[in-house]
Amino acid sequence: MSEVYPIPAETAKNALIDEKTYKEWYDRSVKDPEGFWGEHGKRVDWIKPFTKVKDVSYNDDVHIKWFYDGTLNVAANCLDRHLAKRGDQTAIIWEGDDPSESAHITYRDLHERVCRLSNAMTEKGIKPGDRVTIYLPMIPEAAVAMLACARVGAIHSIVFGGFSPDALAGRIQDCDSSMVITADEGLRGGRKVPLKANVDKALETCWSVKNVIVVKRTGGAIHMVAGRDAWYEELVAKASPTHAPVEMDAEAPLFLLYTSGSTGKPKGVVHTTGGYLVYASMTHQYVFDYHDGDIYWCTADVGWVTGHSYIVYGPLANGATTLMFEGIPNYPTVSRFWDVVDKHKVNIFYTAPTAIRSLMREGEEPVAKTSRKTLRLLGSVGEPINPEAWNWYHRVVGEGRCPIVDTWWQTETGGILISPLPGATALKPGSATLPFFGVVPLMVDAEGKELLGATEGNLCIADAWPGQMRTLWGDHERFKQSYFTTYPGRYFTGDGARRDEDGYYWITGRVDDVINVSGHRMGTAEVESALVAHPKVAEAAVVGYPHEIKGQGIYAYVTLIQGEEPSEELRKELVNWVRKEIGPIASPDLIQWSPGLPKTRSGKIMRRILRKIAENDYGALGDTSTLADPGVVDDLVENRMNRV
Ligand code: 6R9
């Protein structure tokens, strides 16, 4: 039996949703989804109100539409509609990498900045439906750029600033972006990131890009290409401060976000306008129990889906004050998070388990010396949170007073699917607990047979919810293959889970070839193809292994081409090679030189065996009799790299 933390009386008293309401709403949401969402769909402002709520099929062609005869504009929902009541309220608190730098941006100011950039983009020829790639650090201009795209009806594709020029180029080419918005340099932990130089490199192979807009962040020396590159500051200074938002169909794409799958290139997940905004804003309000006036901080980067839904769209649609942080948790000191909480009087704090685990290692003193008295609620996202980290977060950071919402969701889901609601759900450390309204989780075995009651299996979702992805950019076939064919008629999440006797869900991690490194999704296939692109590598196989801080580390088995000798130098060279090909987040933690890889007679690599060896669990390799050459396994075990 695991520990149970009841709902604190203080939380229950003020919460938007109590236990009884959760049960009533949830019941209705699954029995009468049309009625339920028809009502909650009205939480956003429609230009033309919808009369049709839902048209979904998970079979044959697979199509997903919500509120589909309505029209709206997302930027108008995040800005214009708040002006009368909250024009002077802070929309974004920006905290710079350097603790001496911060800013408050009101809704009125943000609205004006977005209007100016919208006009400047239109001037540069951007039209509804065009793709715009955003490659920016965590500065307010990132939110301005997203909202300006939404305002003019362009589809943004944000690429995380830690990705390499190659990775950026691939993401630009896949969707034929005609514009890139970037900065001269980024600043993280006192170190500069050469964003514009990376863009220049990427654009050597991208012919679709006509314009590059460059925000001046550090003032570092960069090269501007005449006729293609323009300074952001100059464009917005001469642009008009008013702009009429473009009326968009509910199902018009709002953004693309590339994420890793189990095979091949990253997938361009497509989210649309109406359903996404309804779902992002509703989950933000109820999961974080957001009350007017609360200061809310999500530490994610806008390069990930968490930054899209829970730094920008959800909070701003709700008229919230959202904090945007440029830096990292341990700069200039390991108290930084808590110093920022005190400086800006943060009430709601949302971060990833990997950050908690790395701060936990530094002991309690750096936390204890800060006040944190404004904190009321804590959140976790990105990977399973181990009970030890959960307890530390709860006891040390929240002083036992703040509930933790462990929110399970994915790039594909657009918003949170399984999570406690602070006033409605008793907590169990390590469990994401219960489904949000309208979400019907379903557990299946390997054959797709539904498992009932307390059980363990593969996690599917039975029906649609408004925030769900609609397709993969340019590849609807892959969309169907990836999510709807393993278990026909169901959305397959790629995650394994356990459901306990109280119906609580415990996510156990990916069951496919996706690994989760510090909360970042990586396809093992992507790292493998980067490795084999090196001239000295003949073959590579990559698996995840348990890592104390990162959750999972990257373990690569590498076979060199005939005549090449393993060396420490080559190991370093390969690590740097992968950093250059994909980005630092994909650096292998361990590389094992492997004279051969365990393969079946048909040539398929037996990853199950490689995973076991990487986990240092080589006593239980299971049946190896189908291997072409069982001898290779002995060598791999003998020279294994992880001996903890
Ligand atoms: C939002 C986000 C999705 C994958 C997902 C799962 C893991 C996310 C989790 C969690 C356990 C949680 N994951 N939240 N696992 N508990 N609270 O992270 O999206 O980058 O697409 O990753 O992350 O494995 O399938 P994304």
Side-chain angles (χ1 to χ4, degrees):
M1 276 299 284
S2 53
E3 293 162 276
V4 178
Y5 287 77
I7 304 159
E10 191 61 23
T11 307
K13 204 168 73 201
N14 298 313
L16 298 170
I17 306 279
D18 60 14
E19 261 180 290
K20 187 163 157 281
T21 313
Y22 170 70
K23 289 205 177 83
E24 282 172 14
W25 285 26
Y26 183 77
D27 242 38
R28 173 158 184 240
S29 73
V30 299
K31 287 195 186 120
D32 174 23
E34 298 248 356
F36 180 84
W37 289 114
E39 213 168 275
H40 291 281
K42 295 185 186 136
R43 61 179 292 122
V44 306
D45 277 3
W46 297 85
I47 299 172
K48 176 167 163 265
F50 60 87
T51 65
K52 309 271 209 290
V53 174
K54 177 185 178 196
D55 177 10
V56 172
S57 165
Y58 278 3
N59 294 298
D60 304 323
D61 247 11
V62 184
H63 65 265
I64 300 158
K65 294 184 199 167
W66 284 89
F67 315 116
Y68 54 98
D69 62 348
T71 63
L72 72 165
N73 183 283
V74 166
N77 269 282
C78 291
L79 302 168
D80 308 47
R81 72 163 167 162
H82 302 314
L83 292 182
K85 193 174 151 209
R86 343 175 164 268
D88 297 321
Q89 183 200 306
T90 300
I92 296 177
I93 300 175
W94 178 70
E95 169 77 12
D97 186 54
D98 185 319
S100 68
E101 267 192 293
S102 59
H104 280 69
I105 300 168
T106 64
Y107 272 95
R108 198 180 320 285
D109 186 9
L110 187 61
H111 174 261
E112 186 185 315
R113 295 192 196 201
V114 170
C115 286
R116 286 180 184 274
L117 182 61
S118 301
N119 287 318
M121 288 172 66
T122 305
E123 189 90 346
K124 295 261 174 213
I126 293 296
K127 292 190 208 37
D130 288 353
R131 276 77 59 212
V132 173
T133 295
I134 299 176
Y135 186 64
L136 281 171
M138 287 290 289
I139 52 178
E141 287 78 2
V144 173
M146 292 164 78
L147 291 163
C149 287
R151 197 167 186 94
V152 304
I155 305 167
H156 62 70
S157 162
I158 307 190
V159 178
F160 174 58
F163 277 121
S164 69
D166 276 0
L168 172 62
R171 285 156 174 80
I172 291 173
Q173 288 158 2
D174 186 74
C175 67
D176 296 310
S177 292
S178 51
M179 175 179 276
V180 176
I181 305 180
T182 189
D184 48 3
E185 296 172 310
L187 205 52
R188 285 186 91 229
R191 291 223 292 256
K192 291 178 174 167
V193 187
L195 296 174
K196 176 59 167 59
N198 288 351
V199 169
D200 289 342
K201 187 114 205 297
L203 293 193
E204 287 170 12
T205 58
C206 301
W207 315 118
S208 57
V209 176
K210 304 279 177 288
N211 289 286
V212 178
I213 299 183
V214 187
V215 179
K216 188 170 273 181
R217 169 63 190 108
T218 63
I222 56 159
H223 178 64
M224 296 291 276
V225 175
R228 186 194 74 181
D229 303 351
W231 286 104
Y232 174 96
E233 291 73 12
E234 289 173 14
L235 294 177
V236 297
K238 59 182 189 225
S240 155
T242 60
H243 176 275
V246 175
E247 180 173 356
M248 300 301 292
D249 285 339
E251 284 301 332
L254 174 67
F255 67 83
L256 307 180
L257 187 54
Y258 287 88
T259 190
S260 296
S262 46
T263 54
K265 301 189 298 179
K267 313 187 265 202
V269 168
V270 177
H271 282 290
T272 58
T273 301
Y276 172 80
L277 192 68
V278 168
Y279 199 76
S281 68
M282 185 164 169
T283 46
H284 173 260
Q285 182 181 8
Y286 294 133
V287 171
F288 299 104
D289 193 40
Y290 189 87
H291 290 68
D292 253 2
D294 280 339
I295 311 284
Y296 161 89
W297 180 18
C298 165
T299 69
D301 190 284
V302 292
W304 311 114
V305 73
T306 307
H308 286 64
S309 302
Y310 300 115
I311 293 178
V312 178
Y313 291 121
L316 295 179
N318 290 336
T321 297
T322 180
L323 194 151
M324 208 173 165
F325 176 46
E326 187 183 33
I328 54 175
N330 54 0
Y331 178 83
T333 75
V334 292
S335 293
R336 185 69 191 276
F337 272 179
W338 326 121
D339 286 341
V340 174
V341 164
D342 289 345
K343 176 174 172 186
H344 297 295
K345 305 191 169 47
V346 171
N347 308 111
I348 304 165
F349 177 77
Y350 188 30
T351 196
T354 187
I356 298 301
R357 285 193 300 266
S358 72
L359 295 175
M360 200 168 121
R361 196 176 49 169
E362 308 289 340
E364 298 181 17
E365 196 269 340
V367 190
K369 72 178 193 199
T370 62
S371 158
R372 285 158 290 108
K373 69 174 193 307
T374 52
L375 284 179
R376 173 166 74 68
L377 180 67
L378 303 172
S380 173
V381 62
E383 52 179 316
I385 179 162
N386 47 313
E388 196 195 355
W390 195 101
N391 280 309
W392 190 85
Y393 196 23
H394 189 258
R395 178 179 61 80
V396 181
V397 176
E399 295 175 333
R401 159 186 95 240
C402 309
I404 297 177
V405 289
D406 175 2
T407 64
W408 174 82
W409 59 297
Q410 312 176 296
T411 304
E412 293 88 338
T413 70
I416 294 163
L417 293 197
I418 302 181
S419 169
L421 302 186
T425 320
L427 308 174
K428 298 185 189 183
S431 171
T433 77
L434 299 171
F436 192 73
F437 306 123
V439 175
V440 185
L442 194 105
M443 303 281 282
V444 299
D445 66 13
E447 279 70 50
K449 192 163 95 24
E450 182 170 357
L451 302 165
L452 301 172
T455 185
E456 188 161 350
N458 297 327
L459 180 64
C460 292
I461 311 290
D463 199 356
W465 61 99
Q468 184 173 20
M469 73 186 291
R470 303 301 198 253
T471 189
L472 289 174
W473 183 258
D475 202 348
H476 198 66
E477 199 48 44
R478 187 174 180 202
F479 171 66
K480 285 194 294 190
Q481 283 297 329
S482 306
Y483 303 102
F484 300 95
T485 53
T486 321
Y487 305 112
R490 286 154 188 174
Y491 168 77
F492 177 43
T493 63
D495 278 326
R498 182 163 73 76
R499 184 170 54 209
D500 71 14
E501 56 292 344
D502 296 323
Y504 275 39
Y505 290 86
W506 303 70
I507 310 298
T508 49
R510 302 290 304 198
V511 295
D512 53 12
D513 289 320
V514 170
I515 54 181
N516 195 322
V517 184
S518 301
H520 301 320
R521 252 169 91 165
M522 283 305 324
T524 53
E526 282 170 74
V527 185
E528 286 165 7
S529 66
L531 282 166
V532 297
H534 188 282
K536 293 183 182 164
V537 174
E539 205 169 23
V542 169
V543 296
Y545 73 99
H547 187 289
E548 212 185 321
I549 306 286
K550 300 179 178 184
Q552 279 189 300
I554 300 180
Y555 192 121
Y557 296 87
V558 170
T559 309
L560 296 174
I561 59 164
Q562 282 277 313
E564 289 298 341
E565 286 301 316
S567 67
E568 251 337 281
E569 218 182 313
L570 183 55
R571 199 193 298 275
K572 281 193 200 119
E573 188 179 317
L574 291 182
V575 170
N576 283 332
W577 175 268
V578 176
R579 291 172 73 92
K580 185 184 100 356
E581 290 275 306
I582 306 175
I585 57 171
S587 306
D589 296 278
L590 297 173
I591 293 181
Q592 176 168 358
W593 305 117
S594 319
L597 293 170
K599 291 187 187 160
T600 61
R601 288 188 193 97
S602 63
K604 219 168 141 37
I605 295 174
M606 290 190 71
R607 291 171 175 283
R608 177 177 55 79
I609 292 175
L610 295 177
R611 272 188 220 113
K612 287 278 181 201
I613 297 173
E615 283 163 15
N616 201 21
D617 184 15
Y618 54 92
L621 292 180
D623 185 12
T624 55
S625 63
T626 55
L627 286 177
D629 174 11
V632 300
V633 172
D634 297 336
D635 177 86
L636 293 181
V637 169
E638 201 180 308
N639 295 305
R640 69 193 184 281
M641 302 290 292
N642 172 22
R643 290 171 187 260
V644 293

